[in-house]
Amino acid sequence: MDVAQVELTPTDLPSTLTIRQLYCVYSYYYTPKFSFRGERHAPWEIVFVQSGRVAVETPDYTQTLTHGMCILHKPWIPHKIRADNVSCYVNIISFTADQDELIMPIADRPIELDKTSQSYLISIVNDGTTIVAGKNHVPEMKKFQTKKFASHQTVKNLLELLLIRLLRRNDDEKESESNESSKMNSAVLSVINILADHLCEKLCLDTIARKVGYSVSRISSIFKEYTGESIINYFIKMRIQKAQELILLNQMSFREISDYLGFDTIQYFSSQFKKTTGLTPLQYKKLVQVSDTYCDTNYNKS
């Protein structure tokens, strides 16, 4: 077959942001009164809260992180962490980069991660715990753990993508501070605060819309645009996150938790819990009890 020879011009793919080394990947379970005395070190450190609420402290600030939020500590800055009177599940990742100055704009402030960013971070934890196992106080791999193909490259690429995503979002937020989207974002935050304040109560969309000064259709549209979730689904997930905290405390039965959080039946509570977490309440409780995490009763003892 006679075919033409085509000359193609290549495009180089230089790296703008490069992660150089991974130091630690930890998963911690903190009981409500846990407090870590603090440390300082050369790598950057990401603190991500999967459930619960923690306070992080440096010489310059104290910030509170809740479910789905993270903060990035700069190199050599002393920092402490403590549970804020609730049980917590926290991931910590430390690393070095070639371009520290590029990361500075997103350091030292709480960031609420979207679903994509959270999936990146959880994947980093899953692969990262196997490639740093046995180093820097990270436990050795368990018999059931395996190091997957290209784990090192996966962690490196996902960390770079996560930081790039956060930096792009930071740039977008700066551009929108003075326009209408800022007002919409404020409305979304108002809705979230209302949901948090009435977590164990019945709420209807009419009540929420009236409180924030929008019609039901308008606030529902704005909320979906910013969060990717309907208000009702977001409210359910907030309740499930609270249910996870209550399960960790191990002071209430599943039925008591269901009733406390305002679910109509325990069957509906269980179905929503599995839909949100991928596990039934009982499976989640068993997983926490046997998971490869640090418990503060055994950590940081002198």
Side-chain angles (χ1 to χ4, degrees), residues 17 101-106 160 162-172:
L17 177 62
E101 70 283 356
L102 294 180
I103 308 175
M104 289 295 180
I106 57 173
E160 291 169 352
L162 175 63
L163 294 171
I164 289 169
R165 187 175 180 87
L166 296 181
L167 287 163
R168 285 183 173 183
R169 185 172 122 185
N170 183 65
D171 290 342
D172 291 342

Side-chain angles (χ1 to χ4, degrees), residues 12-219:
D12 293 334
L13 299 174
S15 295
T16 302
L17 177 62
T18 304
I19 299 301
R20 184 57 57 196
Q21 294 169 314
L22 185 71
Y23 286 79
C24 298
V25 180
Y26 298 116
S27 293
Y28 290 113
Y29 164 60
Y30 294 156
T31 51
K33 297 300 182 181
F34 169 73
S35 180
F36 174 50
R37 63 178 178 268
E39 63 184 8
R40 60 192 296 269
H41 44 62
W44 290 85
E45 180 176 288
I46 296 175
V47 178
F48 173 64
V49 179
Q50 281 205 45
S51 68
R53 184 177 62 247
V54 302
V56 293
E57 181 182 348
T58 74
D60 296 325
Y61 62 79
T62 298
Q63 299 281 9
T64 300
L65 306 178
T66 57
H67 168 67
M69 297 179 70
C70 78
I71 198 166
L72 191 60
H73 292 308
K74 289 184 284 193
W76 294 119
I77 300 300
H79 51 276
K80 302 177 181 180
I81 189 169
R82 59 179 171 81
D84 193 17
N85 297 312
V86 296
S87 298
C88 313
Y89 190 69
V90 179
N91 301 129
I92 295 177
I93 303 166
S94 57
F95 63 92
T96 54
D98 282 352
Q99 302 88 358
D100 286 350
E101 70 283 356
L102 294 180
I103 308 175
M104 289 295 180
I106 57 173
D108 295 335
R109 62 185 181 88
I111 301 173
E112 186 167 351
L113 299 184
D114 59 21
K115 287 184 176 179
T116 300
S117 297
Q118 289 190 40
S119 69
Y120 286 172
L121 199 146
I122 291 171
S123 295
I124 291 165
V125 171
N126 289 339
D127 273 10
T129 52
T130 65
I131 65 178
V132 298
K135 298 179 181 178
N136 300 325
H137 308 293
V138 179
E140 298 284 352
M141 277 202 302
K142 303 299 183 183
K143 291 182 179 180
F144 60 83
Q145 289 182 304
T146 58
K147 190 180 297 183
K148 296 181 180 179
F149 172 74
S151 291
H152 292 76
Q153 187 171 351
T154 298
V155 170
K156 172 182 169 63
N157 291 349
L158 285 176
L159 255 176
E160 291 169 352
L161 285 172
L162 175 63
L163 294 171
I164 289 169
R165 187 175 180 87
L166 296 181
L167 287 163
R168 285 183 173 183
R169 185 172 122 185
N170 183 65
D171 290 342
D172 291 342
E173 288 173 353
K174 286 183 178 179
E175 292 178 3
S176 66
E177 280 178 356
S178 60
N179 61 24
E180 180 64 22
S181 64
S182 290
K183 296 179 183 178
M184 293 180 181
N185 189 47
S186 177
V188 171
L189 291 175
S190 295
V191 171
I192 292 173
N193 287 334
I194 291 168
L195 299 180
D197 290 340
H198 299 82
L199 197 61
C200 302
E201 303 172 25
K202 300 288 187 182
L203 271 180
C204 66
L205 291 178
D206 284 332
T207 300
I208 296 170
R210 187 170 61 252
K211 286 179 177 290
V212 296
Y214 283 81
S215 67
V216 170
S217 60
R218 181 60 175 152
I219 192 59

